[in-house]
Amino acid sequence: MAGLNKVTVDDISVKGKKVLVRVDFNVPLKDGVITNDNRITAALPTIKKLVSDGGKVVLCSHLGKPKNGPEDKFSLAPAAARLAELLPETKVTFAKDDTVAGDNAKKAVADMNDGEIVVLENTRFRGAEETKNGEGFAKELAELVDGEVFVMDAFGSAHRAHASTAGVTKFVKETAVGYLMQKEINFLGNAVEDPVRPFVAILGGAKVADKLNVINNLIEKCDTLIIGGGMAYTFLKAQGREVGTSLVDDTKLDYCKEMIEKAAKAGKKLLLPVDTTVASAFPDPIDAEISVEVVEDIPADKMGLDIGTKTAEMYAEAVKSAKTVVWNGPMGVFENPVLAKGTIAVAKSLAETDATTIIGGGDSAAAVIQLGFADKMSHISTGGGASLEYLEGKVLPGIDVIADK
């Protein structure tokens, strides 16, 4: 997987050609207003490159999870309007079209000049987008651009074999990845397959079940694996410790024992919390009575909700000498300021290291951005599920279908 050698937008000539670009404009909306436009700004380098090279750029994306065909609240109209604001020199047309690739879309594309943009309606307005028999829809999307060029730049959707992420490639002459995809492949792919060592992986989040294959794969690849978040308590219980009322997945205790043994056999360090921040219930209100207890002494009626101070220091120390760090999943209930200390400590230690630091999307990306450390990280992945599957060592369909160099 390392250094996947895919054709990129720098390898193709699009002058005078129609280019379908799968972007990730799945932005959060409140009452029709975009609350965070990161995903749109992240797509700009690829879009600008294709526009300045004289391509006719047709953008498609999903947004949210519409259930029964078109729903106004999931329209891509606000995303198209925001894109037009970000590219004032470029003509941006929104093709409102319930079938996504219907008459309005065809007319908008037919009227385009080189260096202009058409944004299509939400691909999930067509049920066929997500089905195995989405071939008809994939073909329609390809026909919009006369089967000329497809560029995949939506890493967050690359783990899904949908009509607009993978199916469409069967019906176009040229395929390439955009700059965003290229960056994800370089950082995540190389971190897992060919890391500069020492390589430290930090896994958090609530459930062991979500990270089974990631834990297994990373024990093989990394030098030190750090476990925090809710899933740490399943590991601690597997060691025979008392975890009070903490979140535990009893069906995964044997798995955790296996992983502890696997790490020991392979000579890898597996770090688990030595102390934990506890409260009597899941904290609501925010000023829940909390205390820090060593893991041997978690009271039977208390639950662990964040790593403790000694653990935070130990984890920060482990990161100091690293050359590559991958982090996926917060250390505690970071949305609550009282329980964010562990996550802040880990984020701070990553911000202060010289290592290549890769944040694997989802909650850890949200935490790093929210806590103000985003500009100190080498790479923050734009994909939650996609980055997890990449860290598991899976082949992602949206990458697999793109031509190799």
Side-chain angles (χ1 to χ4, degrees), residues 7 25 49 126 146 149 161 170 199 215 227 247 264 272 292 300 374 388 397:
V7 170
F25 282 1
K49 160 80 176 156
R126 283 286 288 276
D146 301 334
V149 186
K170 288 183 197 162
F199 172 27
I215 296 166
I227 305 275
L247 183 73
L272 292 168
V292 176
L388 264 185

Coordinates of all heavy atoms in Angstrom, one line a residue, residues 7 25 49 126 146 149 161 170 199 215 227 247 264 272 292 300 374 388 397:
V7 N -2.1 7.6 -10.8 CA -2.0 8.8 -11.6 C -2.7 10.0 -10.8 O -3.7 9.8 -10.2 CB -2.9 8.5 -12.9 CG1 -3.1 9.8 -13.7 CG2 -2.2 7.4 -13.8
F25 N -18.1 17.2 -0.2 CA -18.8 18.4 0.3 C -19.8 18.1 1.4 O -20.8 18.8 1.5 CB -19.4 19.2 -0.9 CG -18.4 20.0 -1.7 CD1 -17.1 20.0 -1.4 CD2 -18.9 20.7 -2.8 CE1 -16.2 20.7 -2.2 CE2 -18.0 21.5 -3.6 CZ -16.7 21.5 -3.3
K49 N -6.6 23.8 -9.7 CA -5.7 23.2 -10.7 C -6.4 22.9 -12.0 O -6.0 23.2 -13.1 CB -5.0 22.0 -10.0 CG -4.4 21.0 -11.0 CD -3.0 21.5 -11.5 CE -2.4 20.4 -12.4 NZ -1.4 21.0 -13.4
R126 N -30.2 9.9 -5.6 CA -30.4 8.7 -6.4 C -30.1 7.5 -5.6 O -28.9 7.3 -5.2 CB -29.5 8.7 -7.6 CG -30.0 9.7 -8.7 CD -31.2 9.2 -9.5 NE -30.9 8.1 -10.4 CZ -30.4 8.2 -11.6 NH1 -30.2 9.4 -12.1 NH2 -30.2 7.1 -12.3
D146 N -19.0 13.2 -21.1 CA -18.6 12.5 -22.3 C -17.6 11.4 -22.1 O -16.8 11.1 -23.0 CB -18.1 13.5 -23.4 CG -19.1 14.5 -23.7 OD1 -20.3 14.2 -23.5 OD2 -18.7 15.6 -24.1
V149 N -12.9 12.3 -18.3 CA -11.9 12.3 -17.2 C -12.7 12.2 -15.9 O -13.7 12.9 -15.7 CB -11.0 13.5 -17.1 CG1 -9.9 13.3 -16.0 CG2 -10.3 13.8 -18.5
A161 N -17.8 1.5 -2.1 CA -17.8 1.3 -3.6 C -19.1 1.8 -4.1 O -20.0 1.0 -4.5 CB -17.6 -0.2 -3.8
K170 N -15.6 2.8 -14.6 CA -15.7 1.8 -15.7 C -16.1 2.5 -17.1 O -15.9 1.9 -18.1 CB -16.9 0.8 -15.4 CG -16.6 -0.2 -14.4 CD -17.8 -1.1 -14.2 CE -17.7 -1.9 -12.9 NZ -19.0 -2.5 -12.6
F199 N 8.0 4.2 15.6 CA 6.7 4.5 15.2 C 5.7 4.2 16.4 O 5.7 3.1 16.9 CB 6.3 3.6 14.0 CG 4.9 3.6 13.6 CD1 4.0 4.7 13.8 CD2 4.3 2.5 12.9 CE1 2.7 4.7 13.4 CE2 3.0 2.5 12.5 CZ 2.2 3.6 12.7
I215 N -6.1 -2.5 15.8 CA -5.2 -2.8 16.9 C -4.3 -4.0 16.4 O -3.1 -3.9 16.5 CB -6.0 -3.3 18.2 CG1 -6.8 -2.1 18.7 CG2 -5.1 -3.9 19.2 CD1 -7.9 -2.6 19.8
I227 N -2.9 2.7 24.4 CA -4.4 2.6 24.4 C -5.0 3.5 25.4 O -4.6 3.6 26.6 CB -4.8 1.1 24.8 CG1 -4.2 0.1 23.8 CG2 -6.3 1.0 24.8 CD1 -4.9 -0.1 22.5
L247 N -17.1 1.7 31.0 CA -17.5 1.0 29.8 C -16.6 -0.2 29.5 O -15.4 0.0 29.4 CB -17.4 2.0 28.6 CG -17.9 1.6 27.3 CD1 -19.4 1.5 27.2 CD2 -17.4 2.6 26.2
A264 N 3.6 -8.6 23.5 CA 4.7 -9.1 24.3 C 5.6 -10.0 23.4 O 6.9 -9.9 23.4 CB 4.2 -9.8 25.5
L272 N -0.9 0.9 28.7 CA -2.3 1.0 29.2 C -2.3 2.0 30.3 O -1.2 2.2 31.0 CB -2.8 -0.3 29.6 CG -3.0 -1.4 28.5 CD1 -3.3 -2.7 29.2 CD2 -4.2 -1.0 27.6
V292 N -9.0 11.4 40.6 CA -8.1 10.6 39.8 C -7.6 9.4 40.7 O -7.2 9.6 41.8 CB -6.8 11.4 39.3 CG1 -5.8 10.5 38.6 CG2 -7.3 12.5 38.4
A300 N -15.8 0.6 43.0 CA -16.8 -0.3 42.4 C -18.0 0.5 41.8 O -18.6 0.1 40.9 CB -17.3 -1.3 43.3
A374 N -4.4 22.2 15.5 CA -4.5 21.7 14.1 C -3.2 22.1 13.3 O -2.6 21.2 12.6 CB -5.7 22.2 13.4
L388 N -9.7 4.8 9.2 CA -9.7 3.5 10.1 C -9.4 2.3 9.2 O -8.6 1.5 9.5 CB -11.0 3.4 10.8 CG -11.1 3.9 12.2 CD1 -12.4 3.5 12.8 CD2 -10.0 3.4 13.1
P397 N -11.9 0.8 -2.1 CA -12.3 0.7 -3.5 C -12.1 2.0 -4.3 O -11.8 2.0 -5.4 CB -13.8 0.4 -3.3 CG -14.1 0.3 -1.9 CD -12.9 0.4 -1.1

